[in-house]
Amino acid sequence: MNPYGHHCRPLLVQLLEGLGLDASYERSKGDYLWRREGEHLTRVLDLVGGYGVNLFGHLHPEIVTYAKHLLENDVTGFAQCSIHEGAGRLAQVLTDQVGPYAVVLTNSGTETIEAALKHAHLERGRSHFWAVQGAFHGKTLGAVQLTWSYHKPFTGLGPPVRFLNPDDPEDWRDAEKEAANVAAAFIEPIQGEGGIHPLGPPFTEWLSATCAEHSIPIVADEIQTGMGRTGTFLASEVLGIVPDYICLGKALGAGIAKIGALLIKRDRFLSEFSMIHSSTFAEDDWSCLIAAKALEIMTRDDLPRCCAEAGNYLLVELESLRKCFPDQIREVRGRGLIVGVELQKQATMASPTLHMISESGHLGYVAAAYLLNVHKIRVLPTLSDPMTLRVEPSAYIQREQLDHFVDGLRAYCQAVAASDFAHLIRHRVGLAANPLTNYSHIRRYKRDEPRTPRRVAFLGHLITPDDARACEPSFEQLSSSQLETFLDESGRLLEPTILHQENLCSALGTEVHLSFIALSLATKQFVKARADRDGAWIMSKIKSAAELAKEAGCQVLGLGGYTSIMTGNCLRLKVKGIALTSGNSLTVGMGVRALKSAAHRNGVDLRRSRMGVVGALGNIASTYALWMAPEVREVLLIVRDPKSVRVAHMKEQLRRAAPGTLLEVTSDLTALRHCSLIVSASNAGGGLIQPEQLGPAPVLICDIAVPADVSLRVRDCRPDVIVLQGGVVRLPLSDSFYIPGVPLEPGYVFACLAETLLMGLESVTSHGSYGEVTIEGVRNALALADKHGFALGALQTPFGTDSIIPQSAEGRLVR
């Protein structure tokens, strides 16, 4: 991680890197920034505009010249407790613009809000405030109480605030009951960070009348909308509101100085406030004179008119685009040059990744990254409404620049309409520019409505990055390394999402409804997180999946693959109101059946066999050993540390279960050369068993690990070795059942999912395979499987002439 990420904002940089927004800019001018790309500087059209700071563009030449002039002429910076001529001049210019107000100068917008809170409290002698749902007024301790999306962690550390619903008259009437206790009402005429939502006339009319009746001051936060950005000097002018307090900032400093201003009506201003409130850096002549110069240029160049004309043109063009792509753009809002483009959530079945990104709240960021990296246009979502792209260029923006943005947004809409997700991320994975491919007709997932109250959920993840191609059609364009890059960068961003829902029937005619919840992670991400002791973020996602299952009305949640390992076979997942299972009991049971069946079929005498158990201290492998030990001549336990206390305990259990069976313990995999039977259920992450570690045929390997412990080299070097996928179950009456990304042929599921389905069919509300697997639990799981017709999968193996190779529904190899 770079120094900024390491020392300053690690989580933000992690997010930017994952989204493809980790640009570093070296130059700026007008409406452009220049970013470093290798040895070159690339020009980017900047429509973020410093979140409203750059009304005059980056480094307006006249203001830069004036700022240099002030410095070269030794303008006074900080001479506290003196007469500040620059502050007086700025205050005069402001009051000439808006009328008889007292002016309190600050360093920033949020400090301006803090000053307004303090003055209102002193003026009214009350401590309660009103704000509007969706509002953003800053993040300092007082201002954050007024900020809708950020206030909850800090409630109680500042003044009490009631958030008014601007669309609910019933809420207004209820609020009137407490009006006598309200110190001030804070509004944004157009909510900026809340998604570019202008306040409606009914609400503002009610607020004006109520506040006038109770003498409550209205504080207009014009920090983002003031200085002419909306077509008038103040956005509140259009609402017919004459604010009692006006908050300015951002553009007031012309993109160079950091300055804010609180304007308070003269008849409300408390003169003692000028002594109570002070600031070390406020009222410096340099910042004040630059702000005064900015106001002069604003008036001379008639920037409110420029904003109105450019904004009207942009809004018309964007609305025309929305009509062409109503499934991609939900709404276009704004006034002047503060414009919001709200994107539609994508519940598409053709691109599950777009659906997951939408559900995770990151679609706006993906669109912004695409526009930045492919079309060299910089926009960003609003903070509290990440589905809305904010457009706030300078007042000097040209129509051809706005057209460039509209064309880029059109290209985004076309890619989403085609469900060509690979096109949207090609800049992140190094995919060459190609024409769009239309995948919108592909439907690999089902969305069956429940036909039964018996509902279960199963949490799965990708085994290998290549399995993602079966899930996301456009990933056919990506190589294995490109898929791995995408998963590495997006894993922390995407939340668990229900992708597949289907009703399944048992041999008894009983039905259960399954919701398959997907994590956009492959085994490698789990293994790395465990190795780095960085699994908290994955645990958080697993817990979110459990809550999602509960919201969907599921009584059972099954944990598949590494989600079971991460949770300690469910023990570390603390969630109420839903039964949990790792599915390990049926996994063991079906694996034992597979091994015995294969041994019988291949003439292997169990009583004369040596059985190797890889990962022997694991829950699944140890249960295999205990079950099979009485039936074989010798058991070889392969563990990492033969001297550990756990090994001694395991040996004692085996001696009690099979006193006549020979027992050996080693950490050396080459000891497998003397084993005709091998059970492998490690969590090594794949490729543990190599051909040179195996002895002469016959060798039967029951590989329960996902991904497989048996290396693909065994296929090439030892075609005589029979490798069984032991934890596979054939469903009754469901030959077409198939979940994309799960590397099994239709009609087959892993035993962990099968156990989840069986619990639903039996209406079980207590935990299933929870913690350590027991022999009794395995027997019970097998009994339920037999009862409902869940059979051992065919002896599927990816190796040898005796193999039945699992295929996808389209007939192509998936493993």
Side-chain angles (χ1 to χ4, degrees), residues 47-109:
L47 301 182
V48 177
Y51 295 152
V53 168
N54 291 317
L55 178 70
F56 298 85
H58 291 280
L59 301 175
H60 187 286
E62 188 174 349
I63 295 172
V64 169
T65 299
Y66 183 65
K68 290 179 179 179
H69 167 76
L70 294 175
L71 292 174
E72 290 167 356
N73 285 272
D74 302 326
V75 66
T76 302
F78 306 103
Q80 289 85 352
C81 202
S82 66
I83 306 300
H84 290 188
E85 297 290 346
R89 178 177 169 186
L90 173 58
Q92 183 64 59
V93 175
L94 284 170
T95 54
D96 288 346
Q97 183 75 47
V98 299
Y101 286 80
V103 180
V104 178
L105 295 174
T106 66
N107 298 289
S108 66

Side-chain angles (χ1 to χ4, degrees), residues 83-314:
I83 306 300
H84 290 188
E85 297 290 346
R89 178 177 169 186
L90 173 58
Q92 183 64 59
V93 175
L94 284 170
T95 54
D96 288 346
Q97 183 75 47
V98 299
Y101 286 80
V103 180
V104 178
L105 295 174
T106 66
N107 298 289
S108 66
T110 192
E111 187 188 331
T112 305
I113 297 295
E114 296 286 347
L117 283 166
K118 289 161 64 178
H119 189 280
H121 171 66
L122 292 175
E123 179 197 344
R124 292 273 291 160
R126 295 161 176 80
S127 300
H128 287 67
F129 292 87
W130 282 346
V132 179
Q133 291 180 11
F136 185 98
H137 294 287
K139 294 183 180 179
T140 49
L141 196 52
V144 77
Q145 309 300 326
L146 305 163
T147 297
W148 174 249
S149 295
Y150 294 89
H151 75 281
K152 286 185 179 178
F154 308 102
T155 300
L157 293 177
V161 177
R162 173 171 182 152
F163 287 93
L164 304 172
N165 184 339
D167 301 315
D168 183 3
E170 187 63 34
D171 181 59
W172 314 342
R173 287 188 286 272
D174 186 61
E176 287 179 18
K177 301 172 186 176
E178 61 188 40
N181 297 318
V182 175
F186 283 74
I187 64 166
E188 296 168 280
I190 300 175
Q191 290 185 342
E193 307 302 340
I196 320 297
H197 289 280
L199 291 181
F203 174 72
T204 54
E205 289 168 6
W206 168 83
L207 187 69
S208 294
T210 302
C211 288
E213 179 183 351
H214 295 277
S215 194
I216 301 171
I218 294 178
V219 183
D221 182 344
E222 298 268 7
I223 292 165
Q224 195 163 177
T225 54
M227 297 284 290
R229 176 166 289 282
T230 64
T232 53
F233 181 74
L234 299 177
S236 44
E237 294 175 42
V238 178
L239 299 178
I241 292 177
V242 179
D244 299 288
Y245 296 17
I246 300 169
C247 299
L248 295 174
K250 293 188 181 288
L252 183 62
I256 293 179
K258 298 174 182 177
I259 188 171
L262 171 63
L263 283 66
I264 304 171
K265 276 188 175 180
R266 275 285 176 187
D267 58 359
R268 285 187 177 270
F269 182 66
L270 305 175
S271 59
E272 62 267 28
F273 191 71
S274 61
M275 297 294 292
I276 294 172
H277 181 83
S278 63
S279 174
T280 298
F281 295 102
E283 299 187 346
D284 68 293
D285 281 353
W286 188 78
S287 297
C288 291
L289 291 172
I290 287 174
K293 186 68 172 179
L295 286 160
E296 175 191 323
I297 294 172
M298 182 204 73
T299 301
R300 184 196 70 199
D301 292 354
D302 199 0
L303 295 192
R305 178 188 58 79
C306 295
C307 290
E309 291 178 356
N312 289 340
Y313 174 79
L314 178 61

